Amino acid sequence: MQIYWTPIQQVVQEARDTYTFKLELPEGFTWEEGAHTHFALEGFNQEDKPNRSLIRHMSISTLPHEGAIGITTRVKSECSTFKSILRDMNIGDKVAIFKTHSNVPLKREGKNVYLLSSGVGISTFRPLVLSYLANGEGVPHLRSVNVESSQEYLFSDVFKATDAFTAEFVDSRRAYHEAVETLAADKDGLYYVVGSDDFLRETIATLRERGIAREQIVLDKHDFQLDDFLN
Ligand SMILES: Cc1cc2nc3c(=O)[nH]c(=O)nc-3n(C[C@H](O)[C@H](O)[C@H](O)COP(=O)(O)OP(=O)(O)OC[C@H]3O[C@@H](n4cnc5c(N)ncnc54)[C@H](O)[C@@H]3O)c2cc1C
C-alpha cells in the first residue's frame, strides 16, 4: 500500500464550519470522479496497529486537472480529536492519503442520473458534475438535489443549472423527500445517494417504494456493504 504524505496548500472556507483542505498533488497520484480516500494525520501509523482516531474516510471534492486534492469537511466547535487536530494545522503541514478508490464514477449508460445528497455529502458529487459539464456523453440529463438545513448551500458556483443539468437545494427533509418522490417517476434513471447511513436508508426506502430497482441505486459503499443497505 502506497502512503502519500502531502502538504496542505490552502484552506478555503466554503460555509460556516465547512472547509476545503487543498492538498498538493503528489507526483503520480490520480483519481476518478466520486473517489474517496483514507485521510490520516501524523502519528497514525506509528504503532503496530494503525491509530483509527487519526484516520477518516473522505471524498475528494476536486478533479485532477484542478491541480489539488480537495477534502471538504465540517469542523464544528464541538468535534472529534481528528477534527480538532485538523483545525489547528497550518499551510505546509503534511497529511497522509492512501487507499483511494471510486465506487461512484459517473455511469454513462444513456440513462438520466440523479445525485441525492445531504449536507457536506454534496462534495462527493462535485467532481461528477464537473466531469459531466466537460463531457455530457452518455448521460441525457443530470440532476442534483441537496438538503442542507442551514441554507448555506455548498458549491453553488458548480451546482447551477444548464440545459442538461438541474441543481436543486432544499432546506428540510420533507421538501427533500417530496423532490425524490417526483424524481422517482423516472423508472429508468440511476440514483446516486450520499449522506449519513440514516439518510441513505430513508432515501432508499422512498426510491424502492416507488419501484426503483436496487441495481439503479448507487452508493459509496463496498460490495460487501451494499446488501446491508439495499436488501
Ligand atoms: C466513503 C466515505 C466518504 C466520506 N466522505 C466525507 C467527506 O467528504 N467529508 C466529510 O466531512 N466526511 C466524510 N465522510 C465521513 C467521515 O469519515 C467522518 O465520519 C465525518 O466527517 C465525521 O468526522 P468525525 O468522526 O471526526 O466527527 P466530527 O465531524 O468532529 O463530529 C461528528 C458529530 O459529533 C459531534 N461530536 C464529535 N465529537 C464530539 C465531542 N467530543 N463532544 C461533543 N460532540 C462531539 C459533532 O458536534 C458532530 O455533530 C465519509 C465517510 C465515508 C465512509
Side-chain angles (χ1 to χ4, degrees):
M1 178 181 77
Q2 185 164 4
I3 299 174
Y4 295 89
W5 285 98
T6 189
I8 298 173
Q9 245 178 8
Q10 195 190 0
V11 182
V12 178
Q13 180 157 16
E14 307 283 0
R16 188 154 38 95
D17 299 333
T18 309
Y19 303 88
T20 298
F21 293 83
K22 293 199 171 173
L23 314 179
E24 205 171 290
L25 264 185
E27 212 179 304
F29 182 86
T30 193
W31 65 96
E32 248 188 316
E33 74 272 359
H36 69 260
T37 192
H38 290 67
F39 181 57
L41 307 179
E42 195 184 342
F44 86 94
N45 58 352
Q46 270 167 9
E47 310 291 330
D48 291 348
K49 281 190 175 168
N51 179 347
R52 297 199 174 279
S53 70
L54 297 176
I55 309 170
R56 290 290 180 275
H57 282 105
M58 290 286 166
S59 296
I60 302 185
S61 61
T62 51
L63 279 178
H65 75 78
E66 295 181 89
I69 302 165
I71 302 289
T72 304
T73 193
R74 295 235 146 107
V75 186
K76 296 187 176 174
S77 53
E78 297 237 23
C79 61
S80 59
T81 307
F82 181 94
K83 297 275 177 85
S84 66
I85 297 172
L86 187 62
R87 177 173 46 212
D88 292 340
M89 289 182 78
N90 296 310
I91 303 299
D93 289 350
K94 288 190 173 176
V95 295
I97 48 172
F98 54 95
K99 287 207 270 182
T100 305
H101 171 73
S102 180
N103 294 316
V104 292
L106 185 60
K107 294 189 185 193
R108 299 176 183 273
E109 299 177 352
K111 298 179 176 184
N112 294 328
V113 172
Y114 301 95
L115 307 176
L116 311 175
S117 61
S118 79
V120 79
I122 196 171
S123 315
T124 312
F125 292 146
R126 181 182 177 276
L128 275 80
V129 174
L130 289 178
S131 174
Y132 177 73
L133 294 175
N135 171 17
E137 206 182 319
V139 183
H141 197 92
L142 182 71
R143 184 174 186 133
S144 159
V145 182
N146 174 255
V147 54
E148 173 54 67
S149 58
S150 74
Q151 298 185 336
E152 289 194 45
Y153 301 125
L154 295 177
F155 305 126
S156 46
D157 56 332
V158 170
F159 286 75
K160 60 176 186 220
T162 67
D163 285 347
F165 174 49
T166 310
E168 195 178 340
F169 291 98
V170 294
D171 63 4
S172 70
R173 285 284 177 109
R174 194 175 57 79
Y176 166 76
H177 282 288
E178 281 170 12
V180 174
E181 285 168 19
T182 308
L183 300 182
D186 181 351
K187 300 299 179 219
D188 197 36
L190 296 172
Y191 296 84
Y192 287 56
V193 195
V194 169
S196 66
D197 286 355
D198 283 349
F199 176 80
L200 298 187
R201 289 184 201 287
E202 281 176 23
T203 303
I204 291 165
T206 304
L207 292 171
R208 301 285 282 129
E209 276 161 22
R210 277 156 186 78
I212 304 302
R214 60 170 282 174
E215 294 72 29
Q216 293 169 262
I217 301 175
V218 185
L219 306 178
D220 190 2
K221 297 281 177 196
H222 292 294
D223 289 345
F224 68 87
Q225 297 168 303
L226 288 177
D227 280 350
D228 184 32
F229 284 90
L230 293 172
N231 278 348

